[in-house]
């Protein structure tokens, strides 16, 4: 085969590939125009997001923005409820369609756990609705007395307006504890339970390794030493008394009587001594 024929064949193959690529690009462009043409502003080539407002993603995006805004204004101290129009105005969503407004009013906001309806208006609904630092201290004290432990800082910040300022004002009346996941827990600082432990006793306490022992082994060890565990000092559960089933009452046997027609005629001679009349 000559050199010219090889060059011709290579040129033909390259032009064939180029034509195939151009055809694919045209097909892709046609498909794009068919799918997204209704949402494109042909004057400048940009997307019209308002045209996409009927999609579920857009609806839930608006809902998320509303809930986040209501939470933010609650944390600022603006706890009074708003109408839907006021919410849409403050979140810059007045241009949403009628279907989306109806969905927000009848389903989304009514069923949202973080929104409550007050006289036809909407307000943020935190886990703990706290007005001031005194309400926070009462809540922590109540949790402590009931043995419920502490409360997440994020839950307090959600429900207490200007939470950081209130927490700072309480000072040492509350205690912070960091969890392994780095979340902060607030506890009531019950100063009546504060007492001094002898340093020698602390050393003895810390010198006993219990990392490799589970609760059952610790309880067994305490029993061998004659020490009752805390579980045994608590109120014991009383086993329910099993009542014995009463035997079925025996019904008196009834004998069938005969000679009923002679009642009052026959006499009883069982008491009569033989030989005497």
């Amino acid at each position: 085969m000559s050199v010219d024929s090889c060059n011709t064949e290579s040129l033909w193959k390259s032009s064939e590939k180029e034509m195939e690529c151009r055809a694919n690009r045209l097909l892709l462009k046609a498909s794009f125009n068919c799918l997204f043409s209704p949402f494109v502003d042909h004057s400048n080539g940009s997307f019209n997001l308002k045209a996409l407002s009927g999609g579920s993603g857009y609806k839930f995006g608006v809902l998320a923005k509303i809930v986040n805004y209501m939470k933010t204004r609650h944390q600022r101290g603006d706890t009074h409820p708003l109408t839907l129009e006021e919410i849409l105005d403050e979140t810059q969503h007045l241009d949403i369609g009628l279907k989306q407004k109806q969905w927000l009013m009848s389903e989304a906001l009514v069923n949202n756990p973080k929104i409550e309806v007050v006289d036809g208006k909407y307000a943020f609904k935190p886990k703990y609705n706290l007005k001031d630092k005194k309400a926070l201290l009462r809540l922590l004290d109540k949790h402590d007395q009931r043995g419920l432990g502490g409360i997440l800082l994020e839950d307090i910040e959600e429900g207490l307006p200007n939470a950081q300022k209130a927490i700072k004002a309480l000072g040492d009346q509350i205690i912070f504890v960091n969890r392994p996941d780095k979340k902060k827990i607030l506890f009531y600082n019950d100063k009546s339970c504060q007492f001094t432990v002898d340093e020698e006793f602390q050393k003895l306490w810390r010198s006993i390794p219990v990392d490799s022992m589970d609760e059952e082994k610790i309880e067994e060890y305490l029993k061998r030493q004659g020490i009752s565990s805390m579980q045994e000092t608590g109120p014991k559960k009383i086993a329910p008394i099993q009542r014995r089933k009463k035997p079925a009452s025996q019904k008196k046997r009834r004998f069938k009587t005969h000679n009923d027609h002679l009642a009052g005629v026959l006499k009883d001679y069982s008491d009569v001594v033989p030989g005497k009349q």
Side-chain angles (χ1 to χ4, degrees):
M1 184 181 292
S2 64
V3 177
D4 293 337
S5 61
C6 290
N7 291 336
T8 303
E9 186 178 356
S10 61
L11 287 171
W12 171 256
K13 288 182 179 179
S14 62
S15 60
E16 187 178 2
K17 288 182 179 179
E18 185 178 353
M19 290 175 65
E20 185 179 355
C21 290
R22 289 180 64 185
N24 289 335
R25 285 198 296 269
L26 289 172
L27 182 62
L28 182 62
K29 186 176 181 181
S31 301
F32 180 85
N33 290 335
C34 180
L35 291 171
F36 298 102
S37 180
F39 310 116
V40 175
D41 188 351
H42 296 283
S43 61
N44 54 17
S46 61
F47 277 98
N48 184 2
L49 294 178
K50 293 180 182 179
L52 292 169
S53 60
S56 60
Y58 178 83
K59 289 197 305 183
F60 286 102
V62 172
L63 175 62
K65 188 174 181 181
I66 288 174
V67 174
N68 187 55
Y69 172 74
M70 297 298 286
K71 175 182 176 181
T72 303
R73 66 184 296 273
H74 182 92
Q75 291 172 332
R76 291 199 308 258
D78 298 331
T79 57
H80 61 278
L82 299 175
T83 64
L84 180 60
E85 291 296 325
E86 290 172 336
I87 294 172
L88 294 175
D89 183 23
E90 295 185 17
T91 55
Q92 299 178 358
H93 280 296
L94 284 172
D95 56 345
I96 66 170
L98 185 61
K99 288 184 178 180
Q100 283 71 40
K101 286 184 182 180
Q102 188 65 29
W103 175 73
L104 287 170
M105 291 176 63
S106 61
E107 295 181 36
L109 293 177
V110 175
N111 298 324
N112 193 286
K114 290 299 181 182
I115 299 293
E116 63 178 342
V117 183
V118 182
D119 298 329
K121 297 182 179 181
Y122 305 94
F124 185 69
K125 184 181 179 181
K127 186 174 182 179
Y128 303 105
N129 196 0
L130 305 168
K131 294 182 178 180
D132 50 28
K133 62 181 181 180
K134 292 182 179 179
L136 171 59
L137 197 62
R138 285 195 299 269
L139 176 65
L140 292 173
D141 186 14
K142 188 182 294 184
H143 266 243
D144 181 67
Q145 291 180 11
R146 294 179 178 178
L148 300 175
I151 301 175
L152 278 169
L153 175 61
E154 60 187 35
D155 289 338
I156 292 172
E157 290 177 334
E158 179 187 74
L160 178 61
N162 304 311
Q164 289 299 329
K165 184 178 179 181
I167 291 171
K168 187 177 180 180
L170 290 174
D172 62 350
Q173 297 182 75
I174 56 177
I175 301 173
F176 283 94
V177 174
N178 291 326
R179 287 197 326 196
D181 59 0
K182 297 183 180 180
K183 289 187 176 182
K184 291 185 177 182
I185 312 293
L186 265 69
F187 290 85
Y188 177 72
N189 186 13
D190 190 356
K191 296 182 179 180
S192 64
C193 297
Q194 294 179 357
F195 54 90
T196 304
V197 180
D198 188 82
E199 189 175 350
E200 185 177 354
F201 181 79
Q202 293 183 35
K203 290 179 179 178
L204 288 171
W205 178 269
R206 292 167 183 165
S207 64
I208 302 173
V210 292
D211 294 340
S212 60
M213 300 178 67
D214 55 18
E215 292 184 3
E216 292 182 1
K217 291 181 179 179
I218 294 174
E219 190 172 355
E220 289 176 5
Y221 175 79
L222 292 175
K223 284 182 178 179
R224 288 198 302 268
Q225 303 300 321
I227 303 172
S228 299
S229 64
M230 290 294 292
Q231 293 178 354
E232 293 180 352
T233 59
K236 295 183 179 179
K237 293 183 179 180
I238 301 173
I241 300 172
Q242 295 182 353
R243 296 182 179 179
R244 293 182 179 179
K245 292 184 178 180
K246 293 182 179 179
S249 58
Q250 296 181 353
K251 294 181 179 179
K252 293 182 179 180
R253 297 179 64 184
R254 294 182 180 181
F255 296 93
K256 191 173 182 180
T257 58
H258 303 281
N259 302 326
D260 291 338
H261 61 285
L262 298 175
V265 178
L266 297 176
K267 293 183 178 181
D268 185 6
Y269 291 96
S270 59
D271 296 335
V272 178
V273 179
K276 291 183 180 182
Q277 291 183 349

